[in-house]
Amino acid sequence: MQDQVQEVLNKLRPFLLRDGGDVELIDVDDEGIVLLRLMGACGNCPSSTITLKAGIERALMAEVPGVREIEQVF
C-alpha cells in the first residue's frame, strides 16, 4: 500500500510545488492510516488542513484501496 500511496503523492506533488510546498510520506500503518508531513510553504499555511483533508486525503481514498484516514505529522 505504501508504494501506491507514494504514486498518488507523486501525481499531486506538482500542485504543491507550484505553491512553494511539498509533502513527505512518513508511514502507512496496518489500519490504513497515512502519516504525512507538509513541508515548505504548505507546512505553515493556514489552509494546510484543507489541503490535507480535502485534497490529498480525498485523492488517496479514491485511488488506494484500504486508506482510511490521513494524519499530519509536524
Side-chain angles (χ1 to χ4, degrees), residues 3-15 17 22-23 60:
D3 290 338
Q4 292 175 301
V5 168
Q6 190 63 57
E7 283 182 35
V8 174
L9 293 177
N10 287 340
K11 291 179 192 175
L12 299 174
R13 185 165 279 119
F15 300 103
L17 290 171
D22 202 355
V23 63
L60 286 174

Side-chain angles (χ1 to χ4, degrees), residues 3-53:
D3 290 338
Q4 292 175 301
V5 168
Q6 190 63 57
E7 283 182 35
V8 174
L9 293 177
N10 287 340
K11 291 179 192 175
L12 299 174
R13 185 165 279 119
F15 300 103
L16 297 171
L17 290 171
R18 183 181 61 205
D19 291 331
D22 202 355
V23 63
E24 176 185 11
L25 176 60
I26 304 300
D27 193 22
V28 179
D29 73 12
D30 295 335
E31 296 176 12
I33 297 174
V34 179
L35 301 177
L36 298 175
R37 177 178 294 126
L38 292 175
M39 302 181 309
C42 291
N44 57 9
C45 173
S47 299
S48 64
T49 301
I50 295 168
T51 299
L52 195 69
K53 291 292 185 177

